[in-house]
Amino acid sequence: MPSDFNQQIIEEFRANEGRVGGMFEGSPLVLLTTTGARSGKSVTTPVMYLADGDRYVVIASNAGADHHPAWYHNLRATPEATAEVGTERFEVKAVFVEGVERDQLYARMVEQAPGFAEYEAATSRRIPVVALLRTSA
C-alpha cells in the first residue's frame, strides 16, 4: 500500500488530469505502477520524471536516503510496469542507465529540479537512473 502521503498525491493526480499542488506543483510526475519484488502485488508510486525524447527518466533518489526506493527494487525484479502521465496510461519497460549517460541525465534532472543535487550530496550510494520506455499505446 502507498503511504498516506503518496496516496493523497495519487488521488489528486488522477482527479486533476495529472496535476497536483503542494510541493510537487508544476513538477512533471508519473504514476509508476510496479510489481512488488517480494509481495507480487501492484504498487503505485508518484515519481518526478525528466522527459528525454520518447523516454521518461526517473531517478531512484529516495530523497537522499542511504537505500534505494522500493519501486527501484521492484523494477529490478520485474522491469515491466505501467505509467500514467496526465490522463494517459501505458505500459513501459525499465532500462537501467549507467556511465556517462547516467551522469548526463542526472545533471539534467538537477537543472530541472535542484533538490536532486541535495539528494546526491546526502548519501554515499550512487543514485540509479532509470529510463522508462513505452511498450504500448
Side-chain angles (χ1 to χ4, degrees):
M1 286 297 295
S3 69
D4 288 344
F5 178 77
N6 280 352
Q7 190 59 45
Q8 288 175 346
I9 293 169
I10 292 164
E11 289 171 8
E12 185 178 1
F13 181 102
R14 288 178 174 156
N16 295 295
E17 299 179 338
R19 293 183 302 276
V20 299
M23 65 187 289
F24 295 112
E25 186 169 2
S27 297
L29 289 183
V30 57
L31 295 186
L32 183 60
T33 301
T34 59
T35 301
R38 285 185 245 160
S39 71
K41 295 179 181 175
S42 290
V43 181
T44 301
T45 309
V47 183
M48 191 179 299
Y49 73 86
L50 171 73
D52 183 57
D54 59 354
R55 305 186 303 178
Y56 297 88
V57 176
V58 292
I59 310 290
S61 66
N62 207 14
D66 286 331
H67 57 278
H68 300 318
W71 63 260
Y72 174 79
H73 294 291
N74 294 349
L75 288 175
R76 276 287 184 196
T78 307
E80 295 77 21
T82 302
E84 294 173 60
V85 176
T87 59
E88 193 177 6
R89 182 181 175 101
F90 49 92
E91 301 304 309
V92 294
K93 179 169 180 158
V95 175
F96 302 90
V97 184
E98 303 288 340
V100 172
E101 183 184 18
R102 177 256 177 229
D103 296 343
Q104 291 170 340
L105 290 169
Y106 200 98
R108 284 183 50 207
M109 180 60 96
V110 168
E111 289 174 15
Q112 176 178 295
F116 282 91
E118 296 169 21
Y119 300 154
E120 195 168 38
T123 185
S124 59
R125 70 183 171 92
R126 183 154 174 85
I127 296 174
V129 172
V130 182
L132 303 174
L133 306 177
R134 185 187 294 253
T135 60
S136 73

